Amino acid sequence: MISVKVRLLVGLLLAPLVGVGAQATAKAKAAAKVKATATQAAVPDSDAVATAYLAAETRGYAQQLTHMRRAYLARASWAELGDRCNPGALRVFTKDTTPALQTALQATVERMEQAIVLQGAGRSLATPEARALLRVVVGWEAGIDRPRWDEDGAGVHRAVATGLTGDVPDPTKPGCLPSPILSDTVTFVVPGFVDMDFPKAPRPRVKAYFGPEGQQRARDEFFAAVGAKNPNADLSYQVIAPMVIWQDYAVVGVHRPRERGGIEVGSGSDGGAAYLLRRVGGEWRLLAIVRSWGS
């Protein structure tokens, strides 16, 4: 009987302590759960971090392009070529007379080019903006029409003709002679497109080959139509590539191969250029000729 009373007494004494312990354990678990939730909230989602970083990077490059363009235009003036035969204007930099200044100017243009390529490489060209850009470059390279220069304000200056596509003054009388290399048909190879909007002009006619196999198709058709009959006939054409668009800026490369029997002749080229353009109100305008080379 005494043993039972002792056990009962001990049970009565321990019961409150067990209740207190259970409450403490529950509170500890709840606190641990709150802490874990807070810790998870404090660790940002990796996708959100990447998205925020890319957005900040995009804003940074856009600001850099804006600043570099303003600095580039601030240093420039115009060389008007008149309206006889080959109208147009050149953006010139008459104050950059030393090698150091000229090197710095070229570096500015190339940094703009690099920013556009870095941000825009790999983006799809299946867009209305890309098709409009291709139309501008093809029309310019074919000697059909010319883009306006990118400038602050209304934009009234037209670019000069590319290569030797413009008319030349007649040395014997006040008139113009057609370009010595302008033909009835100008052939283009456009690797990054499947079709295009052709310039509307009676002359010259534009003929285009598309896709990565376009260059070989142009060679095969030329050989079948001309080269087989005249082995000394040259195939001259323009390759429009690469083309990179980012926001309202674009970089376009143009190469003008010259081949005979599928083999490049002479220097293997009639020249080429890399252009930097900017879209203003839906119109692509020439910002800079990054580099150019002759035959």
Side-chain angles (χ1 to χ4, degrees), residues 95-211:
K95 296 180 180 179
D96 296 310
T97 56
T98 67
L101 290 173
Q102 293 168 1
T103 299
L105 176 67
Q106 183 63 23
T108 298
V109 177
E110 291 178 356
R111 283 198 298 272
M112 287 192 286
E113 175 190 38
Q114 291 163 3
I116 297 166
V117 171
L118 182 63
Q119 291 294 300
R123 293 177 184 265
S124 173
L125 295 177
T127 64
E129 295 78 14
R131 293 176 66 86
L133 176 60
L134 178 63
R135 164 63 184 80
V136 168
V137 175
V138 166
W140 188 23
E141 285 286 323
I144 295 173
D145 47 28
R146 307 176 192 180
R148 288 195 288 184
W149 283 98
D150 178 29
E151 53 186 305
D152 291 330
V156 297
H157 296 91
R158 290 276 174 187
V160 297
T162 62
L164 296 174
T165 59
D167 291 347
V168 295
D170 187 335
T172 62
K173 54 186 176 181
C176 303
L177 299 174
S179 166
I181 69 167
L182 192 62
S183 62
D184 289 334
T185 302
V186 183
T187 301
F188 290 88
V189 172
V190 193
F193 292 77
V194 296
D195 60 8
M196 64 168 287
D197 300 322
F198 288 91
K200 294 178 175 61
R203 181 177 180 272
R205 185 174 72 95
V206 171
K207 188 175 184 179
Y209 296 84
F210 303 100

Side-chain angles (χ1 to χ4, degrees), residues 69 73 148-155 247-249 277-287:
R69 175 185 172 273
L73 295 185
R148 288 195 288 184
W149 283 98
D150 178 29
E151 53 186 305
D152 291 330
Q247 295 190 352
D248 288 330
Y249 291 88
L277 298 99
R278 177 172 170 264
R279 193 160 57 101
V280 182
E283 175 189 20
W284 285 103
R285 298 184 184 180
L286 178 64
L287 176 55

Side-chain angles (χ1 to χ4, degrees), residues 71-92:
Y72 179 71
L73 295 185
R75 298 168 67 169
S77 57
W78 296 106
E80 300 286 356
L81 303 181
D83 56 2
R84 184 190 173 196
C85 304
N86 189 17
L90 277 174
R91 202 193 301 277
V92 295

